[in-house]
Amino acid sequence: MTGRLVSEVFAGRFGMDHPLTDSAILRNNGMTLAFTTDSYVVDPIFFPGGDIGKLAVFGTVNDLAVSGATPAYLTASFIIEEGFLVSDLITIACSMADAAEKSSVKIVTGDTKVVEKGKCHGLFITTAGIGILPEKHARIGSGEDVRPGDRLLINGSLGNHSVAVLGARKDLVFKTNILSDCAPLNHLIAAVLSSGSSIRFMRDITRGGLATVLNELAAMTCKDILIEEDSIPVDEPVRGICEILGFDPLCLANEGKLLIVAGEKDYEEVLRIMRSDPLGSGSAVIGEITSPGKGMVSMNTSTGGRRIVDYPQGILLPRIC
Ligand code: MG
């Protein structure tokens, strides 16, 4: 439904060519830039391992980084509900400043609007970001270079962000020690790209989870994808909660995870570089591009079967980011 909303209501009217990539690619006078924007409405605003401000900075940094760009400048706009505590706003501003420093970006402009009590739920933040994009990396977000035999890698366990946020909501009955994975991926990505390995595609695995990213990639490239359930890292407490509540870890949101598609000859080197980064110590090869095809994603399951991996349907977890 999100995909339909974007394509049927907005993208055509705005003349957008590639509405489903992480960043727009802008070329002007020999310079190539990546440009992206995102809004954050997470509930609650503070959750184990992060807060809405940290999410807003890292989310935009990661969308630029997976496009092959070096994130440089961010904007930040705040919609604040009347009565929201200034002390909480200061905490969030400090958190954003810290997140910007960790990501080596500067927040350079922004906006504030205050709306009446009851007209917005505490605080919403919109960030936009610009990154410098070397022309040799400009196709990474498009998937154009993906080919059969390429391997799929992810940098660690899935679902921690979703479970941390759900656990922080008072209407749920369980308590966990699980932290959000929210983190800036640009340094890990820079290490991978500077190795010169053949990187065919990258995307951060956020709302909609790995299932969405894989289906978008399969649709963009018209190639089939096969993954191995046993290779997909999921932390034990997250796995347990998924079993109790009937969630599929493949559909859960993350805020510090990405999918990298690497060439057949280079993927072991890419895995080694990813594992040497603190944000990639749990990296794994999870599958491969199998053939030109109908854009179908399948998975060899732990129990020895094979199933189709489809887009998550409906609103699984609202206001997760
Ligand atoms: Mg993204």
Side-chain angles (χ1 to χ4, degrees):
M1 288 175 76
T2 305
R4 281 187 54 203
L5 179 72
V6 171
S7 59
E8 291 174 18
V9 178
F10 297 112
R13 290 181 175 83
F14 296 162
M16 291 175 172
D17 298 331
H18 302 289
L20 295 176
T21 53
D22 286 291
S23 303
I25 308 301
L26 311 175
R27 291 185 176 83
N28 191 12
N29 276 335
M31 191 164 193
T32 309
L33 299 172
F35 187 30
T36 192
T37 185
D38 228 320
S39 294
Y40 295 84
V41 299
V42 65
D43 175 34
I45 281 165
F46 298 98
F47 50 84
D51 58 65
I52 190 171
K54 201 166 152 182
L55 218 55
V57 171
F58 291 156
T60 290
V61 163
N62 291 345
D63 274 339
L64 293 171
V66 294
S67 307
T70 303
Y73 299 107
L74 261 55
T75 75
S77 292
F78 301 84
I79 296 174
I80 308 160
E81 185 182 9
E82 178 190 353
F84 190 79
L85 290 177
V86 173
S87 57
D88 280 350
L89 216 45
I90 291 171
T91 304
I92 288 161
C94 291
S95 171
M96 292 177 79
D98 180 58
E101 198 184 316
K102 282 202 176 82
S103 327
S104 313
V105 296
K106 272 191 151 21
I107 300 171
V108 290
T109 184
D111 182 51
T112 57
K113 295 281 189 304
V114 176
V115 298
E116 306 96 306
K117 196 152 190 62
K119 297 290 168 73
C120 111
H121 191 183
L123 176 69
F124 298 152
I125 303 179
T126 298
T127 47
I130 283 194
I132 313 299
L133 181 60
E135 193 55 42
K136 63 178 172 183
H137 298 147
R139 292 156 64 94
I140 280 178
S142 73
E144 289 166 68
D145 297 327
V146 169
R147 60 195 74 164
D150 288 352
R151 299 302 203 279
L152 276 53
L153 300 94
I154 63 175
N155 65 316
S157 50
L158 299 180
N160 298 49
H161 175 74
S162 277
V163 174
V165 171
L166 282 180
R169 282 192 196 154
K170 293 192 175 57
D171 54 347
L172 280 179
V173 292
F174 62 87
K175 259 203 152 118
T176 76
N177 298 320
I178 297 163
L179 302 180
S180 165
D181 60 346
C182 100
L185 296 169
N186 51 327
H187 303 304
L188 179 151
I189 290 171
V192 167
L193 289 179
S194 67
S195 73
S197 303
S198 56
I199 301 302
R200 304 271 166 70
F201 178 76
M202 290 191 288
R203 179 156 289 181
D204 50 344
I205 309 168
T206 52
R207 191 175 53 150
L210 181 65
T212 298
V213 172
L214 294 176
N215 275 286
E216 286 174 354
L217 175 63
M220 284 158 82
T221 59
C222 294
K223 294 193 172 54
D224 289 340
I225 294 175
L226 178 63
I227 58 171
E228 304 290 331
E229 187 168 29
D230 283 340
S231 313
I232 298 168
V234 180
D235 288 344
E236 220 31 70
V238 173
R239 193 182 294 281
I241 283 161
C242 283
E243 278 168 16
I244 293 166
L245 297 179
F247 294 147
D248 180 353
L250 264 50
C251 298
L252 294 182
N254 310 272
E255 289 292 340
K257 294 295 175 314
L258 85 162
L259 172 77
I260 294 183
V261 179
E264 203 173 350
K265 290 198 180 73
D266 287 352
Y267 77 92
E268 283 168 324
E269 171 66 1
V270 173
L271 180 66
R272 190 193 62 74
I273 297 167
M274 289 168 74
R275 283 188 174 159
S276 66
D277 188 287
L279 294 175
S281 54
S283 295
V285 179
I286 60 156
E288 65 182 291
I289 307 292
T290 50
S291 59
K294 296 186 183 126
M296 205 165 76
V297 183
S298 1
M299 178 166 78
N300 287 332
T301 65
S302 305
T303 49
R306 185 176 283 194
R307 75 164 170 96
I308 304 283
V309 178
D310 207 350
Y311 284 99
Q313 301 294 316
I315 302 176
L316 184 59
L317 304 168
R319 298 193 49 190
I320 206 75
C321 58

